[in-house]
Amino acid sequence: MAAPRLALRVATLLTGLLECLGFAGVLFGWASLVFVFKTEHYFEDLCEPNTQLTVNSTEQADCKAQDERFSLIFTLASFMNNFMTFPTGYIFDRFKTTVARLIAIGLYTSATLIIAFISAGTAPLLFLAMPMLTVGGILFLITNLQVGNLFGKHRSTIITLYNGAFDSSSAVFLIIKLLYEQGISLRASFLFLSICSAWHIGRTFLLMPRGHIPYPLPSNYHYGLCSGKESVTEKKVAESREMEHQSKDLVSSKEENPRPEQTQELRSFWRYALTRRFVWHLVWLSVIQLWHYLFIGTLNPLLTNLAAGDKALVSTYTNAFAITQFFGVLCAPWNGLLMDRLKQKYQKEERQTDSSDSIVAVCSTVPSLALTSLLCLGFALCASVPVLPLQYLTFILQVVSRSFLYGGNAAFLTLAFPPQHFGKLFGLVMALSAIVSLLQFPIFTLIKGPLQNNPLYVNLTLVLITLLTFVHPFLVYRECRRQKGSP
């Protein structure tokens, strides 16, 4: 590989990592931002005084409506984060990288400007700004995931690394909180994020392709600084290589012995979306994601309750949570390394059997899926115990589980389904899981209302439901064994 081309690819990788780390998933640092919003008296008019309570407990007990308002904003934003990946995935597939990124930049910049200029009196604009911020962020992630195609056998590692950076970007709101405590206004911080859009635009036109990065990668593929647009010859090479790769991926998970003529025709998007493999992956993602969203969205009132309204203690634990989120970028690549190493191991075994490349790729995801389910179960159990110091362990398990979840999700979809459907399948699974994530608000209302801040029964129910996630890796493993045993 020529030195300029290698330098361009490394620059694309590193700047994409910085983009995901600094901008893509900032929503999930919501607990830190809520602390600042409360200090700025956002929605404080919803707090009703209660003369029967002490001064210290009044804020905790009488601001239930304020907590519900913040929870509703997070629920809406997290729903849009997932649900809008389906139409944005279609935009990425149909109109390609440049158009998708310009839309992302427009949404992100508008959102940061709105947040910069609102105040306590115009706080309801957060219902508009936070969804725009998160949709722009997820588009940054989707357009960057294809960078893994530039690095061949390290593809899964890079995909999970980017998803880990997406998780770690939640620490941005912690930085904003710490700067706010040092006298830097919320407006100044978000104006800085708005100015960074110039950097996003420069990267779009100089370090990213106008179309898609193909996989497998043509030997003389060039983009960005090396070429204004891909040549017709390269497009034809990319298409032929992609068609060859897709023909190896036509594995039916519903039928025991697929007929030869069925394996020769490209299956439509919806036929892939209706396979048992995809449906159980949706269940796996939805259940684990619901736990994470519920925990993040209710963390501030949870800590307030466990700390008996001690604002300094709540601030300390909020900072600890946000700091652990930063290490998601270090946790996620281990998931990708695990899948890449297993894939290489299975490829060696493939030479002695009749197994196809697609089966090898899918089998390499089984340990990752199972380990993610196990981590979520541990996180759920710790989160269910109402002991404040135990929440440090909960924070650690949560960030490891979440980094494995989204990295494993993206990697599984790239390895288990044809690449020409990745954007749509990724968007569909995120959109459908978003509908499940809407349960977090009624659950929060149930805990705050009828259950009187006692989430024990809700947590036990969710822990039992979490056990369903182990079905997915088991079925994928059984499918791999069956396909390996078939000629």
Side-chain angles (χ1 to χ4, degrees):
M1 186 185 298
R5 192 179 301 172
L6 176 60
L8 176 65
R9 294 182 183 182
V10 172
T12 301
L13 171 65
L14 295 180
T15 55
L17 184 63
L18 180 60
E19 187 170 77
C20 290
L21 187 61
F23 304 93
V26 293
L27 170 71
F28 300 101
W30 180 245
S32 298
L33 200 59
V34 166
F35 188 90
V36 177
F37 286 154
K38 285 187 173 182
T39 306
E40 287 285 310
H41 311 295
Y42 284 36
F43 301 116
E44 196 173 74
D45 57 309
L46 297 176
C47 296
E48 298 180 1
N50 190 334
T51 56
Q52 296 179 352
L53 298 176
T54 63
V55 174
N56 289 334
S57 62
T58 298
E59 184 179 0
Q60 177 190 357
D62 296 336
C63 290
K64 180 179 73 172
Q66 183 190 34
D67 289 335
E68 288 181 349
R69 188 62 55 89
F70 283 124
S71 177
L72 184 58
I73 292 172
F74 179 79
T75 299
L76 178 62
S78 58
F79 169 77
M80 295 296 287
N81 177 73
N82 287 5
F83 187 78
M84 288 302 293
T85 49
F86 184 52
T88 53
Y90 175 80
I91 290 171
F92 174 61
D93 285 346
R94 176 68 178 83
F95 300 101
K96 303 183 180 178
T97 303
T98 300
V99 173
R101 286 184 58 83
L102 290 176
I103 293 173
I105 295 167
L107 289 171
Y108 205 93
T109 306
S110 300
T112 51
L113 287 173
I114 290 173
I115 299 173
F117 288 102
I118 63 174
S119 60
T122 55
L125 284 175
L126 288 173
F127 282 100
L128 173 65
M130 296 310 297
M132 291 174 63
L133 188 74
T134 193
V135 173
I138 198 66
L139 259 175
F140 283 143
L141 175 64
I142 291 175
T143 56
N144 277 307
L145 288 178
Q146 62 181 328
V147 174
N149 295 346
L150 295 173
F151 295 90
K153 63 181 181 179
H154 302 296
R155 186 185 184 201
S156 295
T157 303
I158 292 171
I159 289 172
T160 52
L161 178 65
Y162 273 23
N163 277 273
F166 178 86
D167 294 338
S168 295
S169 64
S170 58
V172 170
F173 282 169
L174 169 64
I175 296 173
I176 291 176
K177 174 180 177 291
L178 295 176
L179 290 174
Y180 178 81
E181 292 173 340
Q182 296 301 314
I184 305 297
S185 69
L186 196 64
R187 176 172 297 180
S189 296
F190 277 92
L191 282 176
F192 174 78
L193 292 179
S194 302
I195 294 171
C196 288
S197 296
W199 181 75
H200 297 311
I201 293 173
R203 184 171 181 272
T204 298
F205 290 103
L206 299 178
L207 295 176
M208 293 294 286
R210 295 188 181 181
H212 292 142
I213 300 175
Y215 183 82
L217 197 69
S219 58
N220 57 349
Y221 175 76
H222 54 269
Y223 67 96
L225 287 171
C226 293
S227 175
K229 62 178 181 178
E230 298 139 22
S231 67
V232 176
T233 303
E234 287 173 349
K235 287 184 178 180
K236 291 181 178 178
V237 172
E239 289 173 2
S240 64
R241 294 288 296 275
E242 187 176 88
M243 292 292 290
E244 179 183 354
H245 181 72
Q246 291 162 6
S247 67
K248 297 179 182 179
D249 284 339
L250 299 178
V251 180
S252 173
S253 61
K254 279 192 170 183
E255 298 176 316
E256 197 71 22
N257 294 304
R259 296 189 298 274
E261 62 268 19
Q262 289 178 320
T263 60
Q264 292 174 358
E265 62 182 22
L266 290 176
R267 297 168 59 187
S268 69
F269 160 69
W270 284 110
R271 290 194 65 190
Y272 280 106
L274 295 176
T275 58
R276 185 179 64 181
R277 178 189 294 181
F278 183 82
V279 170
W280 274 105
H281 184 69
L282 172 62
V283 174
W284 176 84
L285 174 66
S286 299
V287 172
I288 298 177
Q289 181 176 257
L290 178 60
W291 257 115
H292 289 288
Y293 281 5
L294 182 63
F295 183 75
I296 295 171
T298 62
L299 181 61
N300 184 268
L302 171 67
L303 293 178
T304 302
N305 186 43
L306 293 179
D310 187 336
K311 196 169 183 178
L313 197 56
V314 172
S315 178
T316 299
Y317 275 84
T318 300
N319 292 348
F321 172 74
I323 290 170
T324 58
Q325 298 302 295
F326 180 77
F327 291 96
V329 70
L330 303 179
C331 301
W334 292 103
N335 192 15
L337 285 170
L338 174 65
M339 286 187 281
D340 282 337
R341 291 295 176 87
L342 286 173
K343 186 177 179 181
Q344 293 172 22
K345 175 179 178 293
Y346 293 148
Q347 282 175 337
K348 292 179 181 178
E349 297 176 357
E350 178 193 353
R351 299 190 184 103
Q352 303 173 356
T353 65
D354 294 327
S355 301
S356 68
D357 289 341
S358 61
I359 297 173
V360 169
V362 173
C363 290
S364 67
T365 65
V366 174
S368 169
L369 297 173
L371 182 57
T372 304
S373 296
L374 187 62
L375 286 168
C376 178
L377 183 61
F379 152 63
L381 290 172
C382 290
S384 301
V385 179
V387 177
L388 189 58
L390 184 63
Q391 300 315 304
Y392 286 121
L393 178 59
T394 305
F395 297 161
I396 295 171
L397 290 173
Q398 189 270 339
V399 70
V400 177
S401 171
R402 187 164 175 267
S403 61
F404 270 56
L405 173 66
Y406 290 109
N409 170 51
F412 179 81
L413 292 174
T414 59
L415 296 173
F417 299 97
Q420 81 272 21
H421 293 312
F422 169 74
K424 294 182 287 293
L425 286 172
F426 182 80
L428 180 63
V429 75
M430 297 298 282
L432 294 177
S433 66
I435 297 174
V436 178
S437 72
L438 288 175
L439 292 172
Q440 61 183 298
F441 184 69
I443 289 174
F444 177 77
T445 305
L446 177 65
I447 293 172
K448 280 287 186 179
L451 296 181
Q452 298 180 349
N453 281 330
N454 184 7
L456 176 63
Y457 296 110
V458 170
N459 288 340
L460 288 177
T461 303
L462 290 176
V463 167
L464 292 176
I465 295 175
T466 303
L467 297 176
L468 281 175
T469 62
F470 288 94
V471 175
H472 180 42
F474 171 75
L475 290 177
V476 174
Y477 171 76
R478 193 175 69 171
E479 180 184 340
C480 290
R481 291 292 299 270
R482 187 186 73 235
Q483 295 292 344
K484 282 184 175 181
S486 300

